[in-house]
Amino acid sequence: MKRLQHFEGRRRVAIENVQPVIDGGQFPIKRVIGQNVVVEADVFSDGQGALVCLLRYRHETQTGWRELAMTPLGADRWGTSFAITELGRYYYTLTAWIDGFFSWRQEFTRRRDAEDIGLALQAGAQWVAAAATRAAGNDKLQLAEFAELLRTVKPEAGNPAALSETLARLMRAYPDRTLATDYPEALCVWAEPVKARYSTWYEFFPRSCVSDVMQHGSFAECEKRLPYVAAMGFDVVYLPPIHPIGLSKRKGANNSLQAGAADVGSPWAIGGADGGHKAIHAQLGTLADFQSLLMKAQELGMDIALDIAFQCALDHPYVREHPEWFRQRADGSIQYAENPPKKYEDIYPFNFETEAWRELWQELLDVVLYWIEQGVSIFRVDNPHTKPFTFWEWLLAEVKREHPEIIFLAEAFTRPKVIYRLSKLGFTQSYNYFPWRNTKSELETYFTELTSTEAREYFRPNLWPNTPDILAEYLQFGGRPAFMLRLALAATLGASYGIYGPAYELMEATPREAGGEEYLDSEKYQVRRWDIDRADSLKDFIARINQIRRENSALQQDQRLHFLPVDNESLLCFAKIAEDGSNIMLIVANLDPHHSQSGWVNLNLELLGLDDKPFQMHDLLTGARFLWSGARNYVELNPLVSPVHIFKLRRRVRTEHDFDYFL
Amino acid sequence: MKRLQHFEGRRRVAIENVQPVIDGGQFPIKRVIGQNVVVEADVFSDGQGALVCLLRYRHETQTGWRELAMTPLGADRWGTSFAITELGRYYYTLTAWIDGFFSWRQEFTRRRDAEDIGLALQAGAQWVAAAATRAAGNDKLQLAEFAELLRTVKPEAGNPAALSETLARLMRAYPDRTLATDYPEALCVWAEPVKARYSTWYEFFPRSCVSDVMQHGSFAECEKRLPYVAAMGFDVVYLPPIHPIGLSKRKGANNSLQAGAADVGSPWAIGGADGGHKAIHAQLGTLADFQSLLMKAQELGMDIALDIAFQCALDHPYVREHPEWFRQRADGSIQYAENPPKKYEDIYPFNFETEAWRELWQELLDVVLYWIEQGVSIFRVDNPHTKPFTFWEWLLAEVKREHPEIIFLAEAFTRPKVIYRLSKLGFTQSYNYFPWRNTKSELETYFTELTSTEAREYFRPNLWPNTPDILAEYLQFGGRPAFMLRLALAATLGASYGIYGPAYELMEATPREAGGEEYLDSEKYQVRRWDIDRADSLKDFIARINQIRRENSALQQDQRLHFLPVDNESLLCFAKIAEDGSNIMLIVANLDPHHSQSGWVNLNLELLGLDDKPFQMHDLLTGARFLWSGARNYVELNPLVSPVHIFKLRRRVRTEHDFDYFL
């Protein structure tokens, strides 16, 4: 504790438990343009004085704070909110003090004793005169007049001059803040584009945009595929790595160790004679072709997302030019990736702890900046959890300093705390455990954790029912209803979701081996020809779902999610409610892809803003409309028809009062 | 984010969510001598390396850290604990790193490929040789020998030299910590005497130690009263202020505004012609008499607690000598205490915001230090919530720097966040809402909050069923069973509790006015003659309860409290379990003072360490023993006999195996 002479002991207000805050302010919270930041805190002092509490906030480009009065919420909790209008960093903090004049005013309203009131008016005059010294111009004059008035008015209970609203307004404008308590931290908000929160992803392998199995797709062919993707309603097209692919120790089809001459290799084995992370695989095209693809996507309302996989094939130029960026074995050779006894001899991981780490990190940042210069604004980052946290914290901050619009999706399939940490460090969105959450209790538990804990402030899940690495067991055995259901769940539980296609819409369901999650004849190792016009494709179903997402803002956010009880373990029910309450969606899903299931949903009427009048549930998938009333309502879903209701709640049901001749 | 050249990016470990911590480390946690501090944290890194995590702790008098290896608890949580053995401040923090050698060792155990193993042994030799450079003496020689051994041994899977426990032990002693992550805060523990946690208080007015109503008690008379208090098993005797009492505007009996010549005034109206906060009221005796009282109490195993009431009567010397320490009214008079329209014209509060605040604060600190010099080690602080938080934070730290043994009880009957704040600032114990928590749900909710939230780390409730200010409604109407019940609840729910006597044991129950909580003929304003030998006194009951507390360590702590369900709203049941699990108490209380109540208790067998065998419940109040078995057991309490069971759980019930001739 400081000695008396070294501090100002008269700051009487305590500020505690400020929300939102991540790890004591170590990490920013996240918002997108158009959202609010609701700030609350416990603010209180000893005794009874009138407390004034202000929220102070500013965009990083502003030097001065903007201030908003916080309002008491009861039990010493105070709150207010501010709107996010610019990309980049915002800061917010609090200041509070016991206000002499308003404490005086509060007591004055309760005074009854005439002598007392006389003395109190003199004291009040002093508070007002002091404020006059802080004011200027007309305000100064007015305050001086009020001070004089208080000195001279008749001492009466509730004297109107003392309690004048004009005086109160003036006094609020010129407070004495010398003994204010400033909250010691400036907390940070990352303000990001709307797409950071609401996005619809489609992944495909550009080399598979072919009409013949032996041919290799190109960006030019991809361009022709884009309208198909746009018609399904996606707004992000994610391409696996587009760089030259290594030849040495190249993997063959189905991950075989022996590649044939015709084998195309894994796009994640990055780097060859033609270059590394800044080069383009020759068979896909040129940089000009790539930029044409970007333009075409933009015309269709889509962004292209690139894959950032920080690892090298054996032929990568870095290996020759910077052997110091890799770990050496005792015989001087470079250490390939391994997890003993497993070996991944076609890949050299970077050594992030090399003595030359600064040069390595700078080069990897340059890779990202290079592609941003080419027009890329979204990146999907491969295995970020195998690179140091400090590396990502530094790289993401460096990129966002100049480019706050850039979106990074973390492919962080790892332990929960590591996944969360990566999002705290700045990843915009993250893969997550959705592929392995299939039962009602798994889904309820997981999504309650994501949306009701502190994670909601910084973690944005992007839900993928499949990826090139994950053919989920549920999809292998559930047939068409499973594909419909998992897509509908991803698209309604998550404001952001994605699929790996055309494998998804064509319901590719055969694993390489029983019990595994790898696709047979995976595109990771070979070109695949997909018949996207197949009659049984889910493309129209997907298009309809994505249209519903576009038209219903409740589905464009994650936070206001509420699970509702159904008396059948195969039926999942949840509500999503738009931030402004204007749009309410109710989803009922049959998790059993084999049988019809029915049950009674138990609605929370208060949550949904309903009373005892009937209301209409409009299934936007089928167009069917149901009249419901009260909390308990019956649902029945046949998975062979539709495994899910996506209801829009329409409160108003017509009554006799709507009938023309009723009155 | 720092630029690359300005930081070390290779610290790979993240340390999050360290527990216990109060407000991000702003305030200390509290412990008493003999307790442990269990520290846990989320500690993890990218990738797969072998993580080493150490707890570092030290007493404030030590310059170097002591270090303890933390152990993984699963899901990236790590933990360990250290013991508190000295009074004063302890600090604790964490450090963690990815250990090169142990990462290597972990991988080595899984290696199968002969060529691989050969190279790995060479790499291992390098880790060991590097450690040898950090070691000295015999360890250095041994490590050098191990390095040579690894360089030359036959490359075989699971090579015993590589996996030698001796080598592992040596390597643990000489780790490379250059890239360790240090947790940035040193968190603080206040280590206090055992009495800070477990204490039994008895308050009485020394001036009422009289044999005749018109006489005024003295310290000499008080000495004669001490054996009576000690016999009831109390270990703290708390005296209301012992200083000269003001004459001007003195209050008469029952708080009347007109005092007669014989009226003795309120001891909280401190200061008169004879002196102020450092003086003793002449009728009570001299400083020598007071010190004799202290000695006598110590002989009986009790401490005397003084009242610290920082306010003045109108005749206090401060008023004349330091008018600048008080607020002035517009007419130059000193502002008396008020809460308009109420006036307390017999009291001048200090102005803690005076320009001369430093001199005022220093003087108030001197008051406390003065009484510590006289031998006082416990203070009960009157209305701390009407003085600034920063004042207490400073004063308590100043006192404890030289006197870490001093105990401060906060009379903080105010809003919850203010109560908690005062304890965070350093008050050892606190008054609380116990007087107004009477029903089962009130008691369960409140004590669950106190013992299962963060408050458990710094807030020590001291439970008072009555005080001179509070004759609780429950006591006014519940008769003898109510007095027995509320004392038993205070004594078993709280490791610290107290009563204001002899009003309590003599069951004084008449309020000054109906609906109020003030005592009729309150001792605050007059001398009372108590017949402590009355046949119906609760003194033996109290003595028995305090003896049970002394003999059962489960009742000497607050944290391990568990409420158990009973199917009757008038019956409350809870278990208290000693920290080491060796003592388990089960309390069943009938909250209805008028009727017998019965019901079925539902025990948590796992919590109580019970299996399907019968067990014995020994009621330490009555001596009765009940054989119980399984979770559901019947209880019945007649309040006219005993409103409470205070069971000691004795697990063992004799069976035929205990019978001499059974085998």
Side-chain angles (χ1 to χ4, degrees), chain B residues 23-226:
Chain B
D23 293 4
Q26 193 184 348
F27 302 107
I29 63 164
K30 296 190 184 124
R31 292 292 187 275
V32 300
I33 301 291
Q35 277 190 296
N36 283 332
V37 179
V38 177
V39 180
E40 290 189 11
D42 298 339
V43 188
F44 53 93
S45 78
D46 64 286
Q48 303 287 342
L51 197 151
V52 178
C53 180
L54 303 181
L55 173 72
R56 316 182 77 198
Y57 72 99
R58 65 181 185 87
H59 188 265
E60 58 180 322
T61 56
Q62 299 167 327
T63 48
W65 293 102
R66 305 183 64 174
E67 296 187 333
L68 283 176
M70 296 184 77
T71 49
L73 308 173
D76 290 321
R77 193 92 181 138
W78 293 66
T80 191
S81 69
F82 65 98
I84 296 296
T85 56
E86 308 284 333
L87 294 177
R89 283 191 176 89
Y90 280 79
Y91 296 98
Y92 58 101
T93 189
L94 277 72
T95 189
W97 65 91
I98 299 299
D99 191 277
F101 172 78
F102 287 100
S103 300
W104 171 88
R105 189 178 193 263
Q106 190 169 279
E107 288 184 345
F108 189 84
T109 60
R110 300 197 306 260
R111 291 194 188 278
R112 298 289 167 263
D113 180 291
E115 189 212 333
D116 241 29
I117 289 171
L119 289 172
L121 285 168
Q122 300 310 310
Q126 289 173 26
W127 289 117
V128 177
T133 67
R134 291 187 291 271
N138 193 43
D139 289 351
K140 188 185 193 78
L141 288 177
Q142 262 197 287
L143 282 164
E145 279 167 26
F146 265 113
E148 184 56 29
L149 185 61
L150 293 186
R151 256 192 298 277
T152 53
V153 288
K154 178 163 160 254
E156 59 184 343
N159 178 285
L163 302 180
S164 148
E165 270 311 316
T166 308
L167 174 58
R169 191 169 36 71
L170 281 165
M171 291 300 291
R172 253 189 294 275
Y174 300 99
D176 178 1
R177 289 165 61 165
T178 49
L179 296 180
T181 300
D182 291 328
Y183 184 68
E185 312 283 332
L187 302 171
C188 185
V189 188
W190 266 118
E192 298 181 294
V194 170
K195 211 169 218 174
R197 178 162 80 146
Y198 162 53
S199 57
T200 313
W201 294 51
Y202 185 82
E203 172 179 9
F204 73 88
F205 284 73
R207 69 187 181 192
S208 289
C209 286
V210 290
S211 42
D212 174 318
V213 72
M214 294 312 297
Q215 207 184 309
H216 192 289
S218 66
F219 289 145
E221 291 291 326
C222 288
E223 272 191 44
K224 297 182 200 154
R225 177 69 57 88
L226 291 182

Side-chain angles (χ1 to χ4, degrees), chain B residues 494-513:
Chain B
S496 289
Y497 88 101
I499 56 170
Y500 151 54
Y504 200 91
E505 63 266 28
L506 297 180
M507 296 168 287
E508 181 83 354
T510 314
R512 188 197 301 159
E513 53 197 33

